[in-house]
Amino acid sequence: MDIPQSTLDGINAYVREGIPTGGFLYAVLTNDLSGAFGRADQENTAAMREIVAYVYNKIPSACWGSPEKVSAWLDRHEQASAAPQPATVED
């Protein structure tokens, strides 16, 4: 079973850009197994092993594993996007 593309896109957007996920992926990222299965649709239920393996093997450990880690990851991205941008010189 392959990971549904929308699920993979959601994980990658969270990791790269700090975009909050929906309830299912939040449960996966916070290591809430019963919550993940309770919120998963049929496709994600069937792909749960692959989703968890992807999270475990492919994304930084600093961004998943507990609600605190997920919150800190989102905060880090929010602070980075709120930081002043360098001025540009126009011709």
Side-chain angles (χ1 to χ4, degrees):
M1 179 73 195
D2 290 331
I3 299 173
Q5 189 62 49
S6 61
T7 301
L8 196 55
D9 291 345
I11 294 169
N12 291 332
Y14 163 75
V15 172
R16 293 180 186 141
E17 302 168 46
I19 296 174
T21 65
F24 164 68
L25 281 178
Y26 179 81
V28 169
L29 294 167
T30 59
N31 228 10
D32 177 6
L33 179 64
S34 62
F37 273 102
R39 291 173 177 86
D41 61 18
Q42 192 171 16
E43 273 189 303
N44 283 308
T45 297
M48 191 70 73
R49 177 183 295 262
E50 290 79 10
I51 294 165
V52 172
Y54 183 82
V55 167
Y56 185 82
N57 292 306
K58 301 292 185 183
I59 70 173
S61 62
C63 71
W64 70 274
S66 70
E68 295 80 14
K69 282 185 165 185
V70 171
S71 180
W73 189 262
L74 292 170
D75 288 347
R76 184 179 107 178
H77 280 275
E78 185 177 313
Q79 290 170 0
S81 67
Q85 300 299 314
T88 57
V89 177
E90 293 185 24
D91 294 316

